[in-house]
Amino acid sequence: MRIPENGLSGEQVFERLRDLRRKDAETRGGRAWGLVYDSGLEEAREVAERAYVEFLGLNALDPTAFPSVLRLENEVVAMAIAHLGGGAGVVGNFTSGGTESCFLAVKTARDHARATRPEVARPEVILPITAHPAFHKACHYLGLTAVPTAVDPETFKADAGAVARAVSPSTIMIVGSAVSYAHGVLDPIAEMAAVARERGLWLHVDGCIGGFLLPYYRRLGRAVGDFDFTVEGVSSMSMDLHKYAYAPKGASVVLYRSKALRKYQLYACASWPGYPILNTTVQSTKPGGPIAAAWATLNFIGDEGYLRLARLTLEATERLIAGISGIPRLRVLGRTDTSLIAFASEDVNVFYIADEMKRRGWLIPPQPSFGPSPASLHLIVTASSLPQVDAFLADLRTCVEAAAGRGLRIDPALRDTLAALDPSSLTDEMLSRVVGAAGVEWDALEDSMADVNSILDSLPPQVREALLIAGGNELFTPAK
Ligand SMILES: Cc1ncc(COP(=O)(O)O)c(C=O)c1O
């Protein structure tokens, strides 16, 4: 495929784009339980889109050229700090998303440790097993060792005792979730902060998915443990605005207790013949659109508006938990502190339930088993979920029955061979043969993922990862 010799008309461009979108999940209306966050407020979406487009061409790389973008970033960060109990001295930056915010927090903690504890040759980061993969990825990119610690097998909250026991002379950082993605639960941040204070360690609280909602849940009367900058010992926090603040994608913040800590995040380069670089985040050219859209969304919906949205979310979550718990063969894992529900089944393969639901127009991301958490289905409940609750539960009941008795169609001998593989010795060629032998039909993946998920679920995590990379390497093949 080449750039077309003569450009298409605007009409043709949009025709092609609309055509490509035909098989996509819905982004509005509450039928997608993952990947998208819909406030249900049509006008808020329009305001955000207008702001996005108006600032699309602006570049935050040079705040002297576009002071408006600097001002918007500083206002968004100030609102986030106030929302998370930050007092004078707390600072932060706008980033492209949760992964960038978490990545920057780890990089900043690493560089802070390099400056203050140069004797640590091989820095370690303590990650309860429910911490988001963004932290594993950061450790991987930055050459740090991730040290996983246990969570409670019933509540799925981090075990602060296990964190304390995992501290070694090489530990530089502890990560807690507010809340965890997989089960939506709040880690014991105050206890983890006590460990961090006592041992002189950096504590990052990942509020990417829960940080925005938790203060509203508290105002709605829910018991919410302390988790933000009001807890002494919290060094940094991340909070996404493209999740429960309902800003368009590409919007998150990373916050630090002080400028003295944040300075390790910044990067400057004057060692070349071009313009002197000062980058606050990973991006250098940084689009103004997401910042303006996040600012517009926060200002348009406002505090009372967000409280109303949180009330709708809470009601939908409670009705879903009660409804799912009432369906034979299903059980909810842990007890979410916000709006994320994981549910499992003792005797029905949940991946087939997800496929059955997809045929009825519901998108439900599955989660393979890991540690004490069995294979489950995951719901991100939003303010637009409430009107869908009854229809969803009725379909779920039917789909559980439809999926009962279905299972892995893969040859058990192949599965055993896969499980026995040493991931470090797998070559690209072996992996593509494995993917081929498993009979995965790439074109059919949008319709049926149950077999692929069942294969992955039956394998050790490191083999899953090797297979995912092999699969991704195939999926992203230049179009013909
Ligand atoms: C707790 C948590 N941290 C980090 C992230 C990463 O955010 P993003 O997907 O915006 O990079 C997520 C995403 O769901 C999350 O739930």
Side-chain angles (χ1 to χ4, degrees), residues 250-478:
S252 175
V253 289
V254 58
L255 309 176
Y256 297 90
R257 175 70 71 183
S258 67
K259 279 190 179 160
L261 297 184
R262 195 268 301 271
K263 83 169 184 212
Y264 295 100
Q265 178 182 288
L266 307 191
Y267 176 78
C269 182
S271 307
W272 76 314
Y275 54 88
I277 284 233
L278 165 65
N279 289 161
T280 51
T281 59
V282 176
Q283 291 175 307
S284 195
T285 283
K286 190 168 167 179
I291 303 174
W295 181 94
T297 309
L298 289 166
N299 278 288
F300 183 80
I301 296 180
D303 193 48
E304 281 303 313
Y306 280 119
L307 187 63
R308 262 196 315 278
L309 296 178
R311 191 178 286 117
L312 296 174
T313 309
L314 177 59
E315 188 186 334
T317 306
E318 288 186 337
R319 283 181 46 195
L320 284 162
I321 290 174
I324 294 166
S325 307
I327 296 177
R329 302 164 178 252
L330 297 185
R331 85 184 157 95
V332 173
L333 301 178
R335 170 74 212 201
T336 182
D337 288 298
T338 51
S339 50
L340 309 162
I341 304 171
F343 61 96
S345 176
E346 300 310 331
D347 57 358
V348 182
N349 180 322
V350 292
F351 305 126
Y352 293 89
I353 302 176
D355 271 9
E356 288 292 332
M357 288 294 277
K358 187 158 187 195
R359 277 177 214 120
R360 287 165 173 78
W362 304 101
L363 176 77
I364 313 181
Q367 311 192 118
S369 52
F370 186 83
S373 188
S376 61
L377 299 183
H378 189 257
L379 306 180
I380 293 180
V381 184
T382 66
S384 67
S385 303
L386 194 54
Q388 298 287 2
V389 168
D390 291 336
F392 173 82
L393 289 171
D395 277 350
L396 183 60
R397 191 176 276 271
T398 311
C399 289
V400 171
E401 291 314 315
R406 299 191 58 196
L408 195 66
R409 279 192 251 121
I410 185 172
D411 176 1
L414 175 62
R415 188 184 57 210
D416 293 347
T417 312
L418 294 177
L421 290 174
D422 169 9
S424 61
S425 68
L426 289 171
T427 63
D428 285 352
E429 202 214 326
M430 283 159 76
L431 282 166
S432 50
R433 262 195 283 133
V434 166
V435 173
V440 176
E441 289 175 35
W442 296 108
D443 292 346
L445 279 188
E446 302 117 32
D447 301 322
S448 177
M449 280 293 291
D451 289 347
V452 171
N453 284 322
S454 300
I455 295 167
L456 289 175
D457 191 52
S458 68
L459 300 172
Q462 287 77 14
V463 180
R464 290 178 196 169
E465 287 160 3
L467 279 171
L468 285 168
I469 288 171
N473 226 359
E474 290 303 318
L475 200 54
F476 290 87
T477 297

Side-chain angles (χ1 to χ4, degrees), residues 37 96-102 130-135 137 177-182 206-210 238 240 242-243 250-252 340 378 380:
Y37 296 77
S96 63
T99 298
E100 189 183 357
S101 291
C102 299
T130 46
H132 192 273
F135 295 96
K137 184 175 169 183
S177 299
V179 298
S180 68
Y181 174 86
D206 181 15
C208 279
I209 206 160
S238 42
D240 289 355
H242 62 201
K243 293 190 169 84
S252 175
L340 309 162
H378 189 257
I380 293 180

